[in-house]
Amino acid sequence: MSKRLVNILVPLISIILGLIIGAIVMAVSGFNPIDGYIALWNGIFMDTYTMGETVRQITPYVFSGLAVAFAFRTGLFNIGVEGQLIMGWLAAAWVGQAFDLPAIIHLPLALLAAALAGALWAFIPGLLKAKLQVHEVIVTIMLNYTALHVANALIEVIADGGERTERIHETASLRSQFFESITDYSRLHWGFLLALIAVVIMWFILEKTTLGYELKSVGFNKNASQYAGMNVNKNIILAMVISGAFAGLGGAMEALGTFENMSKLHAMTGIGFDGIAVALLGANQPFGVLLGAILFGSLKNGGLNMPSEAGVPTEIVSIVIALIIFFVASGYIIRVALERFGKKRKEEK
């Protein structure tokens, strides 16, 4: 069995096992798994509105998954995507409401502000890692909570003591009357096209540029890279900054597309943390991340329909997602089983 086929089968088998055991959990809990999965399906594909909302839900997961995957591919573990996304959300919301500019300037400026805010928040752990060898996991986890409280404090300042920022100007919005008309006024916006472009950009950087080669090389072996003349510290910082920029753009999708403002957050959004699972499911490959985001976004949005249609609590969806992650993380076992199956078939021939 070829390595490429095994790499494709491992996540597919993980998804199937997760759904099967999720059905068992539903049955043991007294719910009908068939009705539950039908409700899940309807929550994703029932009509144009639900399909539009599903694609809208997928969009920020693509960016958070790319942020985590980019760091992984360059030897870093960016647990701070959540905080970087929050800062990007705030920056985009502020630029969107504070300035009144032509759309051709305003929208790109708001997106750029989000990317820069996420990049700046990721620069801190990158700098500490490069200069002081402080582990990025510890710093990024702490910065998630810092971002949450800093954002809430700044929202209060921007909103003059209110709970949310003003709605962004139409010139900064990603919303589309065309998408609203074909999806029965869902919140689908142009951000999904930006997500597809981001997937291609990550692939191009890592696979087709000298920069990408250096970033991956430093991630694989710092000493060998330094011996080859690469600037290790610069590449560590740059890897975190690019990862943070992807995360910040994920926040922009919420600020400029889904909500068109930012309210005070009483807890983490979860999008950044789910990005870890999306990257894991996509094997840290850009196009794999896209597929992982499609799965997660679909499960999250479809799961909202399960309580009303089948009486199944949304927590069941979280269990299914957790099971899928578990089996992906246990991919080595599935991989060994597939390889043994392939060898057995060769011997029989």
Side-chain angles (χ1 to χ4, degrees):
M1 193 174 292
S2 69
K3 188 176 180 182
R4 178 174 291 183
L5 180 59
V6 170
N7 289 337
I8 294 170
L9 287 176
V10 168
L12 286 177
I13 293 171
S14 300
I15 293 166
I16 292 167
L17 288 173
L19 292 172
I20 290 171
I21 298 180
I24 294 170
V25 170
M26 274 190 265
V28 170
S29 303
F31 302 106
N32 188 323
I34 295 174
D35 290 343
Y37 282 139
I38 288 173
L40 178 67
W41 177 269
N42 288 339
I44 301 169
F45 299 111
M46 182 167 58
D47 51 35
T48 54
Y49 175 82
T50 54
M51 286 190 283
E53 283 295 304
T54 298
V55 175
R56 190 270 310 162
Q57 184 79 52
I58 289 166
T59 303
Y61 283 121
V62 175
F63 284 101
S64 66
L66 290 176
V68 176
F70 192 92
F72 273 149
R73 292 288 300 276
T74 55
L76 297 167
F77 198 4
N78 185 4
I79 306 293
V81 170
E82 180 75 21
Q84 294 147 23
L85 183 143
I86 289 171
M87 297 310 291
W89 187 342
L90 177 64
W94 179 73
V95 171
Q97 64 113 58
F99 301 98
D100 192 3
L101 301 166
I104 196 169
I105 299 172
H106 203 177
L107 179 56
L109 182 65
L111 291 169
L112 180 61
L116 287 175
L120 180 62
W121 210 249
F123 171 79
I124 300 168
L127 181 66
L128 292 173
K129 170 81 171 182
K131 298 297 185 182
L132 301 174
Q133 301 302 307
V134 179
H135 204 290
E136 71 276 8
V137 170
I138 305 298
V139 181
T140 51
I141 287 175
M142 294 298 100
L143 283 175
N144 284 333
Y145 294 95
T146 307
L148 177 68
H149 296 297
V150 166
N152 284 343
L154 289 175
I155 287 170
E156 193 165 335
V157 172
I158 294 168
D160 294 325
E163 291 291 313
R164 63 181 60 85
T165 63
E166 291 181 20
R167 187 172 180 175
I168 62 169
H169 294 291
E170 198 171 319
T171 50
S173 178
L174 285 167
R175 292 277 185 95
S176 164
Q177 290 184 349
F178 170 70
F179 288 139
E180 288 180 356
S181 65
I182 65 173
T183 60
D184 196 20
Y185 296 96
S186 77
R187 292 174 293 173
L188 177 63
H189 52 79
W190 288 108
F192 82 93
L193 284 179
L194 296 178
L196 295 177
I197 292 170
V199 168
V200 176
I201 288 173
M202 176 175 161
W203 168 80
F204 184 78
I205 290 173
L206 290 177
E207 306 298 337
K208 300 295 180 181
T209 66
T210 304
L211 171 64
Y213 177 81
E214 286 195 12
L215 292 174
K216 288 187 293 183
S217 176
V218 169
F220 283 131
N221 193 317
K222 294 178 189 174
N223 295 327
S225 300
Q226 191 167 20
Y227 183 77
M230 299 177 193
N231 189 328
V232 171
N233 288 345
K234 183 196 80 172
N235 281 300
I236 288 173
I237 295 171
L238 191 55
M240 283 299 294
V241 165
I242 295 172
S243 174
F246 280 126
L249 286 170
M253 299 303 103
E254 303 298 87
L256 307 178
T258 304
F259 299 103
E260 295 191 317
N261 66 3
M262 187 177 186
S263 301
K264 280 187 177 181
L265 299 170
H266 301 291
M268 299 294 179
T269 68
I271 297 171
F273 292 123
D274 286 340
I276 299 170
V278 169
L280 185 64
L281 189 61
N284 300 317
Q285 301 296 325
F287 298 102
V289 166
L290 176 61
L291 296 176
I294 290 171
L295 174 68
F296 267 68
S298 299
L299 288 173
K300 288 282 187 180
N301 196 63
L304 299 175
N305 189 51
M306 292 175 74
S308 57
E309 186 174 323
V312 178
T314 52
E315 287 77 10
I316 295 291
V317 180
S318 299
I319 291 172
V320 172
I321 291 173
L323 287 167
I324 291 170
I325 296 168
F326 171 78
F327 286 115
V328 171
S330 307
Y332 176 75
I333 299 170
I334 300 172
R335 194 178 299 274
V336 169
L338 288 171
E339 287 174 355
R340 286 186 178 178
F341 177 73
K343 287 179 182 177
K344 194 173 182 180
R345 287 191 64 185
K346 282 183 180 179
E347 288 172 1
E348 287 175 357
K349 290 180 180 179

